[in-house]
Amino acid sequence: MEWLPTLWFIVIAVLWCGYLFLEGFDLGVGMLIGLGRNTEKRKRLLLNTIGPVWDGNEVWLITAAGAIFAAFPHWYASLFSALYIPLTLVLIALIFRAVAIEYRGKAVTAPTRKAWDLALGLGSLVAAFGVGAMLASTTLGLPLNENGDRVGGPFAWLTWHAVLGGIAVVAFCWVHALAFLRLKTDGPVREEAGKLVGRWMPVAILPLLLWSVWVIASNESTIAWLCLVLSVIALVVAGLTGRAGKEGISFIALGVTMLAAVAAIFIAAFPVVLPSTLDSAFDLTIQTASSTPYTLKLMSIVAAFGVPLVLAYQAWSYWVFRKRLREEHIPESHRVKSIVK
C-alpha cells in the first residue's frame, strides 16, 4: 500500500489546517483579552465567546502531533528534537494560557486578575508564534545532517523563515479573532471589531501569503499556485462581504484564505516532510520517514471511525453555542460565599 504515506501526509496537513482555523480565533481572543485595553466586563465577554470551545480546539494540535509521531516517526524525531526549545516554550505558553482561563475568574483582587490576563495574553501570543515558527521550519528547512540530527547550536532553528512563519500565524490569529468577535458578539464590541478587521485584514494576511510564495518558489507546483490564487480571491471576498455586513460569509472566506494558503504550502513541499538546509540529499520524504504499511493501515481504520465522531461533536458544540453575546449578558463582578465551612 504505497499510497498510505501520501494519505497520512494529507491527513496531517488537514489536521494542521483545522488547528489553525479553530484555534486561530481563540488564540487571537486570548491576545485581545490579555494585551488589549478593555474593561473588566468586556474581557469577561470576550472570554465567554471562546469559553465553551477553546479546550476542544486544542485537540487538533494534539492529534496533529500524535499523527506525525505514529505515521512518520523519523519526521517526528528530527523535527521535535531540532525544535526542542520552541516546542517547550509553546507547551509552557499553552499551560499558562489554560490556567489563566480557568483561574482569572477566581481572582479576588484587581492586580491578580491583571496577572492572569497577562498570562493569557502572552501565553496565546507565544503559542501562536511558536506554532508558526515550527511549521515554517518544517516546510522551509532545518540544518539537518544525513542522520536527521540538527547541526548547530540550540537556536539554529531561529531563522528568517521561522520568524516569518511565527509572525504570519500571530497576525492571522489576531485578525481571525476580530472576524470571530464580529460574528459572535453584538453591540459596541461587534462594531469595533468590524472596523478593525476591515482596516487591517490585508496587512495581517500578507505574512502568510509571503510564506506561501516562499515555499512555492522553492518547490515549483502548478496546483500550489492555483491554491494561492484561491487564497487571494477568498481574501478579497472576505473584505467585500465584511463591508456589506455579511459577517458569516466574511468569517468563512477569511478562513478559506488561510486554508488555501496553507494547502499551497503543503502541496508545494510534497513529498518532502522536512527539508535539510545543508544538503537536499538529507531531506526526509514521506517514504523515508513513514512507519510500516501495517501501522499506517491500522491507523487508517481507526481514523475512519474516530475523525467523523470528533468532527460531529465539534460541529454540535458550535451549533449549541451559536448565539451572539452582548455586554448586557455579563453580570457584574461579585463575591460568591462558600457553603463549605
Side-chain angles (χ1 to χ4, degrees):
M1 296 187 176
E2 296 181 356
W3 53 272
L4 283 176
T6 301
L7 171 65
W8 274 97
F9 179 84
I10 295 172
V11 170
I12 290 169
V14 170
L15 290 172
W16 279 116
C17 287
Y19 173 74
L20 291 174
F21 183 89
L22 295 175
E23 184 82 337
F25 64 77
D26 76 47
L27 285 174
V29 170
M31 288 187 273
L32 291 172
I33 295 172
L35 305 177
R37 295 181 179 179
N38 295 294
T39 62
E40 172 60 20
K41 179 172 282 193
R42 182 164 295 188
K43 288 179 180 179
R44 292 168 59 202
L45 171 64
L46 298 185
L47 193 58
N48 273 269
T49 62
I50 62 171
V53 297
W54 70 269
D55 48 354
N57 294 341
E58 290 189 352
V59 171
W60 289 78
L61 175 64
I62 299 170
T63 307
I68 294 175
F69 171 76
F72 300 99
H74 299 294
W75 179 12
Y76 180 92
S78 296
L79 179 67
F80 280 61
S81 61
L83 299 176
Y84 195 82
I85 289 180
L87 176 63
T88 302
L89 292 175
V90 167
L91 291 176
I92 293 173
L94 289 174
I95 291 171
F96 269 88
R97 178 174 179 269
V99 174
I101 290 174
E102 297 294 339
Y103 276 83
R104 81 169 304 278
K106 298 175 177 60
V108 177
T109 63
T112 307
R113 262 195 307 273
K114 289 182 179 179
W116 286 124
D117 289 342
L118 185 61
L120 174 57
L122 290 178
S124 301
L125 177 66
V126 172
F129 183 88
V131 168
M134 289 190 288
L135 284 176
S137 295
T138 198
T139 53
L140 285 166
L142 287 166
L144 303 176
N145 61 20
E146 64 276 13
N147 298 319
D149 298 326
R150 184 195 67 219
V151 175
F155 291 97
W157 61 273
L158 192 57
T159 59
W160 285 111
H161 59 249
V163 173
L164 175 62
I167 293 173
V169 173
V170 168
F172 170 75
C173 289
W174 178 71
V175 75
H176 200 40
L178 293 174
F180 174 74
L181 291 175
R182 185 172 56 172
L183 180 66
K184 183 64 178 175
T185 64
D186 207 352
V189 175
R190 177 186 179 187
E191 295 172 3
E192 293 174 17
K195 292 177 183 178
L196 287 173
V197 74
R199 184 185 310 160
W200 291 104
M201 186 189 299
V203 177
I205 296 298
L206 182 59
L208 178 60
L209 297 179
L210 291 176
W211 174 13
S212 185
V213 169
W214 194 340
V215 177
I216 299 173
S218 303
N219 310 274
E220 279 294 333
S221 171
T222 302
I223 299 177
W225 281 117
L226 292 175
C227 286
L228 186 59
V229 171
L230 174 61
S231 179
V232 175
I233 293 174
L235 179 61
V236 174
V237 171
L240 293 177
T241 54
R243 292 176 183 176
K246 300 178 180 178
E247 294 152 342
I249 298 176
S250 180
F251 176 76
I252 295 298
L254 181 59
V256 172
T257 301
M258 180 278 298
L259 295 175
V262 174
I265 291 170
F266 277 99
I267 291 170
F270 181 84
V272 176
V273 295
L274 187 56
S276 171
T277 57
L278 301 180
D279 191 331
S280 60
F282 304 154
D283 292 351
L284 290 176
T285 66
I286 61 170
Q287 298 299 335
T288 60
S290 68
S291 293
T292 63
Y294 176 78
T295 301
L296 296 178
K297 182 179 179 181
L298 185 61
M299 289 174 60
S300 301
I301 295 172
V302 174
F305 292 96
V307 172
L309 289 175
V310 172
L311 291 175
Y313 168 75
Q314 283 213 292
W316 175 79
S317 65
Y318 275 94
W319 176 256
V320 169
F321 296 102
R322 67 189 181 278
K323 292 186 178 180
R324 293 181 182 271
L325 298 176
R326 300 176 59 94
E327 288 190 55
E328 290 79 3
H329 296 152
I330 308 299
E332 296 294 336
S333 298
H334 58 281
R335 297 287 296 276
V336 178
K337 293 183 179 181
S338 174
I339 61 174
V340 180
K341 295 184 179 179

